[in-house]
Amino acid sequence: MGALWHPFASMGLVDGHEFVIERGEGSCVYDTAGNRYVDATASLWLTNVGYGRTEIADAVADQMRHLHAYHVFADFATRPAMDLADRIASLAPDPGSKVFLASGGSDAIDTALKLARRYFDEIGQPQRTYFVVRDWAYHGMHASGTSLAGMEPNRARHGPLVEGIVKIPWDSIEALEAVVDEIGGDRIAGLFCEPVIGAGGVRPAPPGYLEKARRIVGDAGALFVADEVITGFGRVGEWFASTRFDLEPDLITFAKGVTSGYAPLGGVVVAPRVAEPFWQPGSDVMWRHGYTYSGHTAACVAGLVNLDIIEREHLVARALDLEIVLEDALDSLRAHPVVTEIRAGTGVLGGVQIDPELVSEDQGVTGRAALAARDAGVITRAIGGGGLQVSPPLVVTEAEIDEIVAGLRTGLDAVA
Ligand code: PLP
């Protein structure tokens, strides 16, 4: 028996049967027996630059040797934290944005939810406390993110959580309009919105949805929060999906690809109009928020070098090219007898939907398909609604994409 309690795991089944990964290179990882796997998940959608980047490891080690970490509370700062914030702002839809740093996506969501309410309190609209969220949404697992969960099982059985969360169908503009009418636009603080729903099944929004949703939220005077924890830093062929869809969000939550996971880091990009009341020259307005590891020095160095690599190797443009290659490759699974839908075509993201009837009869079917794919040398995983996740590193080759499709087919055959 081991002591490690795995997230989202039935420990009674996992204990003693762990799948132990030992090393990685490019788009592949290797287990302790030396078996090679093409990682169609980039771990949890994070390894944008791929595995084995010694350049990041060396820079982090060097930073750790002279200062591993110092906080950035009050007037304290470190050069890497300042530089990373400036760099992220320069890539954001509005380069005048401010950047609040944290340790991951759940921190980012917690920060965004609190900032939205704190902002409206600051500008004299404290009645704006409601948040709208879409079915299938995944916004992390802190209390805020759990409260915002679009997938009910992720929220249920934790007692009272954050109040004032209203859930709507993920793809309906009419539902968003109705909820604004019902609650009253002047009581809504914001909409949390993944430009492409990730863990909930890889669901790109219907054409025009995001732009219309953004307009409705803006007309109500509420904040549009783009959760780009998955879609940020190149995965959808732009630095941010918000740029691709011209969303001009008020807040962008990010994590994962900002460091490609070489160190835990996340945060929130805050548009100038939202930051403004807190940044008035000479004003003593303070936001009482922040984490010990906000702007963790070595993690920020990992972020800076990771962004250097994304830029130098043109991985954002590469993701846009791969979007077509991946969609075409996955299309060959459309005719498989257990597949009902292929969702792809927005960046290096794909969802292979197993027949929902089969999934409702047998909840374990997607997990078994993923295991069979793994035995065939391809790592995928079950996502919301019974799909299989496809989100390899942005350095994945076309030959590896073919391997991914072959592995997925083996997995699907195993449950046909
Ligand atoms: N938001 C989205 C869209 C995510 O996909 C995730 C994690 O997968 C999170 C937030 C939470 O991020 P973390 O697991 O780093 O806390």
Side-chain angles (χ1 to χ4, degrees):
M1 275 204 176
L4 177 65
W5 191 333
H6 300 222
F8 284 81
S10 304
M11 287 315 300
L13 301 176
V14 166
D15 191 25
H17 301 279
E18 295 83 359
F19 173 59
V20 185
I21 302 282
E22 198 167 69
R23 66 185 183 90
E25 192 65 44
S27 296
C28 296
V29 293
Y30 297 80
D31 65 16
T32 43
N35 296 309
R36 167 186 177 271
Y37 303 86
V38 183
D39 186 4
T41 60
S43 183
L44 289 174
W45 334 76
L46 55 93
T47 317
N48 287 9
V49 299
Y51 298 93
R53 295 289 193 167
T54 51
E55 182 182 349
I56 304 179
D58 291 345
V60 168
D62 189 46
Q63 178 62 48
M64 284 196 169
R65 264 183 219 106
H66 63 270
L67 179 70
H68 73 289
Y70 211 89
H71 74 81
V72 298
F73 277 45
D75 66 340
F76 284 86
T78 60
R79 199 70 251 172
M82 295 162 89
D83 289 348
L84 183 65
D86 286 347
R87 184 85 171 267
I88 292 169
S90 76
L91 301 170
D94 187 332
S97 297
K98 306 299 182 189
V99 179
F100 201 100
L101 294 172
S103 296
S106 297
D107 276 8
I109 291 291
D110 217 54
T111 297
L113 183 142
K114 285 179 67 182
L115 178 56
R117 284 190 177 166
R118 179 68 182 78
Y119 162 75
F120 282 121
D121 188 84
E122 188 62 35
I123 64 165
Q125 300 180 34
Q127 82 287 356
R128 285 191 185 269
T129 56
Y130 281 86
F131 291 98
V132 183
V133 69
R134 299 154 73 210
D135 276 337
W136 295 118
Y138 185 89
H139 296 299
M141 285 291 121
H142 286 356
S144 300
T146 303
S147 312
L148 293 165
M151 289 175 277
E152 192 53 27
N154 286 350
R155 205 198 64 79
R157 306 177 71 185
H158 294 96
L161 292 162
V162 178
E163 289 174 7
I165 313 282
V166 184
K167 197 159 57 164
I168 55 171
W170 71 281
D171 55 352
S172 166
I173 281 297
E174 294 72 32
L176 178 58
E177 285 169 334
V179 100
V180 171
D181 279 349
E182 207 173 294
I183 299 171
D186 64 340
R187 295 171 68 205
I188 298 177
L191 168 74
F192 277 81
C193 179
E194 289 165 88
V196 179
I197 286 174
V202 180
R203 298 170 200 273
Y209 175 92
L210 294 170
E211 296 84 342
K212 284 185 199 142
R214 205 281 163 257
R215 203 173 321 124
I216 291 165
V217 169
D219 289 349
L223 302 189
F224 187 92
V225 186
D227 185 352
E228 298 230 31
V229 165
I230 287 176
T231 53
F233 301 98
R235 185 153 291 282
V236 300
E238 275 283 357
W239 283 100
F240 293 97
S242 295
T243 305
R244 178 159 177 175
F245 297 108
D246 213 7
L247 298 180
E248 297 182 12
D250 299 292
L251 303 175
I252 300 173
T253 51
F254 65 87
K256 299 189 190 277
V258 64
T259 58
S260 290
Y262 280 82
L265 195 139
V268 182
V269 176
V270 185
R273 56 191 168 278
V274 180
E276 197 235 21
F278 301 90
W279 281 66
Q280 291 291 322
S283 152
D284 64 356
V285 171
M286 180 202 293
W287 184 25
R288 291 185 168 274
H289 179 76
Y291 307 104
T292 299
Y293 298 139
S294 287
H296 183 281
T297 320
C300 288
V301 168
L304 286 164
V305 181
N306 174 64
L307 298 182
D308 286 346
I309 293 172
I310 296 178
E311 269 176 10
R312 193 175 66 227
E313 298 185 6
H314 309 291
L315 295 182
V316 179
R318 181 177 168 74
L320 204 55
D321 292 342
L322 285 175
E323 161 177 311
I324 302 158
V325 178
L326 183 67
E327 190 180 20
D328 282 354
L330 291 175
D331 206 54
S332 67
L333 297 173
R334 207 178 281 278
H336 193 281
V338 299
V339 172
T340 54
E341 194 181 14
I342 300 291
R343 293 184 290 269
T346 311
V348 188
L349 282 171
V352 177
Q353 181 65 50
I354 295 185
D355 187 347
E357 259 183 53
L358 213 64
V359 175
S360 72
E361 279 163 23
D362 174 4
Q363 297 285 324
V365 66
T366 316
R368 288 201 307 282
L371 267 183
R374 191 162 93 189
D375 288 343
V378 168
I379 296 181
T380 177
R381 61 192 271 276
I383 44 177
L388 290 169
Q389 173 178 338
V390 184
S391 59
L394 308 184
V395 294
V396 70
T397 64
E398 297 197 18
E400 286 164 340
I401 288 179
D402 290 343
E403 283 187 74
I404 288 171
V405 172
L408 293 174
R409 187 184 300 283
T410 305
L412 294 165
D413 287 347
V415 297

